[in-house]
Amino acid sequence: MSTHEEELPGYDVIIVGGGPAGLSAALILGRCRRRVLVCDSGRYRNEAAHAMHGFLSRDGIAPSELRRIGREQLRPYGVEIREVTVADVRRDAKRFEVTLEGGERLLCRKLLLATGLVDRLPDLPGLEPMYGKSVHHCPYCEGWEVRDQPIGVYGQGCTGILMAVNMRTWSDDVVLFTDGPARIPKSEAQRLERHGVGVREERIARLEGRDGMLERVVLEDGSSVERRALFLKTTLVQGSDLAKKLRCKVTDAHGVETADKHEETTCEGVFVAGDASRDVLLAIMAAAEGADAAFGINCALQEEDLA
């Protein structure tokens, strides 16, 4: 920690991440008269999505519009928002020193990580322009929009089988593409057959369509399967390494682990909310976790203030 830390700007809370979790926490903390800074890197997991679903009162809203409304509602409470990436963070016994990209250093009493996750997409020719339009990772977010249409599922092993069976909730026409020999156990093959899920084990040559809308999955043997949407499980990684730098415990599933209620991590004074915690990955859940974390943060600050 700097020997001149008393000269650095100080906040009650610095929130790293300006999505639903970070903005929701900032709203609660602003109303608690806390000095709050939100650092928004401008990178969002749902950047490819045109609409956000399952968020009560905001179903179908563009993610960017939700963020705009959220920021606007923070103005009366004096919450500061900066378009900046947090490059590093250190702590001493009582405070955190946050270093912004560019070198500026700030102090805060509590830290909230709302840094989200990053999806690593499989290497499928034609996938990128379709992602967020007709290729999706979340059936709860996009399943309704393609209900009763021919749906494909990309995946292998238990993950692919489970998603393929679950997609029968939205369509009777589901095909599992394993992109190579699947070696599906007999019991699982019978399960897929019982639920009417087709299986194609040929290698995928490419996805074809127009204007981002999937029309067919082309296989390496030259055949193709007409589909209107493809769902897949992405590889998820933390959107920031700050939790590891602070030596918070990160689970095998790459989620930042909470130690107790109200989203506090195993590192005292550090809280986590949203997809970074790897709970149910829905925007409305992220917002709820942000509010819960804000409650825990304010309670901790009250205890310090009244001690």
Side-chain angles (χ1 to χ4, degrees), residues 47 65 70 78-79 81 128 159 162 175 181-182 195 197 223 225 283 289-290 300 302 305:
E47 190 169 3
E65 179 65 6
V79 172
I81 300 175
E128 188 172 346
T159 299
L162 180 61
V175 173
H195 291 291
V197 176
S223 64
V225 182
E289 288 177 12
Q302 285 175 329
D305 293 341

Side-chain angles (χ1 to χ4, degrees), residues 1-304:
M1 190 70 73
S2 169
T3 56
H4 302 288
E5 62 178 33
E6 67 280 356
E7 301 174 5
L8 300 178
Y11 296 87
D12 290 316
V13 187
I14 290 180
I15 298 173
V16 188
L23 295 176
S24 178
L27 178 62
I28 299 297
L29 290 165
R31 289 178 56 83
C32 292
R33 306 184 71 181
R34 298 300 176 181
R35 189 177 183 200
V36 181
L37 170 65
V38 177
C39 297
D40 189 343
S41 69
R43 297 187 295 271
Y44 313 105
R45 185 185 179 205
N46 62 2
E47 190 169 3
H50 295 268
M52 190 176 65
H53 296 287
F55 202 117
L56 186 63
S57 84
R58 291 292 182 267
D59 188 60
I61 194 173
S64 59
E65 179 65 6
L66 181 78
R67 293 192 297 270
R68 185 196 66 78
I69 294 172
R71 287 184 173 205
E72 186 176 280
Q73 293 186 342
L74 293 178
R75 288 176 186 170
Y77 306 112
V79 172
E80 184 180 347
I81 300 175
R82 295 200 203 181
E83 307 279 351
V84 67
T85 297
V86 173
D88 197 10
V89 60
R90 295 186 297 166
R91 69 166 302 164
D92 65 6
K94 295 182 179 180
R95 292 193 287 186
F96 299 90
E97 183 181 291
V98 173
T99 303
L100 306 181
E101 198 172 58
E104 183 180 1
R105 292 179 296 138
L106 308 169
L107 295 177
C108 63
R109 298 166 65 188
K110 306 296 177 186
L111 188 70
L112 172 60
L113 303 178
T115 46
L117 296 169
V118 176
D119 291 285
R120 303 296 189 204
L121 301 176
D123 185 17
L124 282 179
L127 184 152
E128 188 172 346
M130 297 181 184
Y131 188 61
K133 294 182 179 179
S134 58
V135 177
H136 311 286
H137 64 260
C138 177
Y140 290 93
C141 302
E142 308 293 345
W144 168 265
E145 281 63 41
V146 295
R147 64 195 183 280
D148 299 326
Q149 297 185 46
I151 291 174
V153 171
Y154 178 89
Q156 292 187 334
C158 296
T159 299
I161 292 169
L162 180 61
M163 176 174 264
V165 171
N166 288 344
M167 288 309 303
R168 291 285 277 100
T169 297
W170 289 275
S171 176
D172 293 333
D173 186 355
V174 178
V175 173
L176 171 63
F177 296 91
T178 62
D179 199 18
R183 300 179 181 87
I184 299 174
K186 183 178 179 180
S187 60
E188 293 299 317
Q190 291 174 339
R191 181 187 183 194
L192 291 167
E193 184 178 2
R194 186 168 64 251
H195 291 291
V197 176
V199 179
R200 297 299 296 263
E201 297 188 44
E202 301 94 325
R203 292 284 182 186
I204 295 175
R206 62 189 177 277
L207 306 182
E208 286 187 350
R210 290 181 293 178
D211 301 322
M213 304 308 297
L214 177 66
E215 295 179 353
R216 66 191 64 84
V217 178
V218 181
L219 306 172
E220 282 192 348
D221 65 4
S223 64
S224 64
V225 182
E226 301 292 318
R227 297 289 95 181
R228 294 296 172 266
L230 183 72
F231 286 81
L232 48 81
K233 284 287 187 181
T234 61
T235 300
L236 295 170
V237 297
Q238 287 288 321
S240 168
D241 63 354
L242 296 179
K244 286 188 175 181
K245 287 184 175 181
L246 289 164
R247 297 185 178 180
C248 300
K249 186 174 181 180
V250 180
T251 68
D252 292 339
H254 303 293
V256 182
E257 189 170 295
T258 54
D260 204 348
K261 60 183 179 179
H262 306 314
E263 317 300 333
E264 189 168 15
T265 70
T266 54
C267 180
E268 185 179 358
V270 181
F271 294 73
V272 63
D275 286 359
S277 69
R278 290 299 300 275
D279 200 347
V280 178
L281 304 183
L282 295 174
I284 196 165
M285 289 295 296
E289 288 177 12
D292 188 33
F295 179 82
I297 290 169
N298 190 62
C299 287
L301 290 171
Q302 285 175 329
E303 288 184 10
E304 293 175 7

